[in-house]
Amino acid sequence: MLKQALAQNGLIAILRGIRPDEAQAIGQVLYQAGFRVIEVPLNSPDPYTSIRTLRDSLPADCLIGAGTVLTPEQVEQVKAAGGQVVVMPHSDAKVLRAAKAVGLYLSPGVATPTEAFAALAEGADVLKLFPAEQMGPAVIKAWLAVLPAGTLLLPVGGITPDNMQVFIDAGAKGFGLGSGLFKPGMTVDQVASRAQAYVAAWKALS
């Protein structure tokens, strides 16, 4: 289902710092803009409550995930909160195996081809190329020449509506969007406006 959601819209919303009391309203405007994967990093305030709120308030075709998942214990908490996707800054096999064991989708962070192949061997559904600012489109093109056909490589870090083109041309099939989409303190209207700009850019390019 993760790949289907990303085929519909390849943009993942990363809501680092979101509070539970604003999760429902921000989730609604993201969904209305076209987002179908929303991630709450675990270093946000009370992240499991926000994950539960998003899961309970959004349609089933919107996947809710947790980011910055670092331990197998956190995987269990994500599952209990209704989360469906585990997103990681790294590619720890223990965490990947724990997430796979409880039926969650896996999006580990990779920064080398060795990490990418290892993550795929553990059952990763998509690979998070992080940090994209340091890697660049040339890395994506080179990796995709050797990774298994159909591998989804999603750049995360520094992505704007204006720089998506070069990554898509290199073979990227989606993006994780952080502070360019949402920062703590932004209003719902501000998030809605940015979400619409990103989706418009994605539709124009994809």
Side-chain angles (χ1 to χ4, degrees):
M1 187 174 168
L2 177 59
K3 289 185 177 180
Q4 293 92 312
L6 291 171
Q8 185 174 346
N9 178 357
L11 305 178
I12 297 176
I14 303 170
L15 305 181
R16 190 176 306 281
I18 193 167
R19 302 187 316 271
D21 63 296
E22 59 189 351
Q24 181 171 345
I26 288 174
Q28 293 288 351
V29 297
L30 290 171
Y31 185 85
Q32 289 161 9
F35 283 81
R36 292 298 179 266
V37 185
I38 299 174
E39 165 196 337
V40 178
L42 293 186
N43 52 4
S44 304
D46 196 2
Y48 301 108
T49 299
S50 292
I51 290 168
R52 172 53 65 191
T53 298
L54 288 165
R55 180 62 285 151
D56 289 348
S57 62
L58 291 173
D61 67 336
C62 187
L63 292 176
I64 308 303
T68 319
V69 179
L70 303 177
T71 68
E73 292 75 22
Q74 288 176 333
V75 168
E76 296 290 342
Q77 292 173 289
V78 170
K79 174 77 172 180
Q84 299 152 284
V85 187
V86 162
V87 186
M88 304 156 57
H90 62 335
S91 189
D92 186 330
K94 295 192 303 293
V95 179
L96 289 170
R97 290 168 190 163
K100 200 74 176 174
V102 294
L104 302 182
Y105 295 106
L106 312 182
S107 177
V110 295
T112 68
T114 298
E115 291 177 350
F117 278 105
L120 291 172
E122 293 292 348
D125 297 286
V126 302
L127 299 178
K128 168 184 169 180
L129 188 74
F130 175 79
E133 300 102 320
Q134 293 180 16
M135 313 293 275
V139 168
I140 294 174
K141 189 172 183 179
W143 287 20
L144 289 175
V146 296
L147 289 171
T151 298
L152 296 185
L153 206 53
L154 276 60
V156 178
I159 303 301
T160 70
D162 296 327
N163 69 9
M164 286 185 191
Q165 178 79 63
V166 290
F167 288 99
I168 290 175
D169 289 347
K173 300 297 184 186
F175 300 95
L177 308 175
S179 59
L181 175 66
F182 170 84
K183 281 187 275 197
M186 289 175 63
T187 67
V188 173
D189 287 345
Q190 286 173 320
V191 177
S193 176
R194 293 190 181 200
Q196 290 158 10
Y198 271 110
V199 172
W202 171 258
K203 287 180 177 177
L205 296 171
S206 58

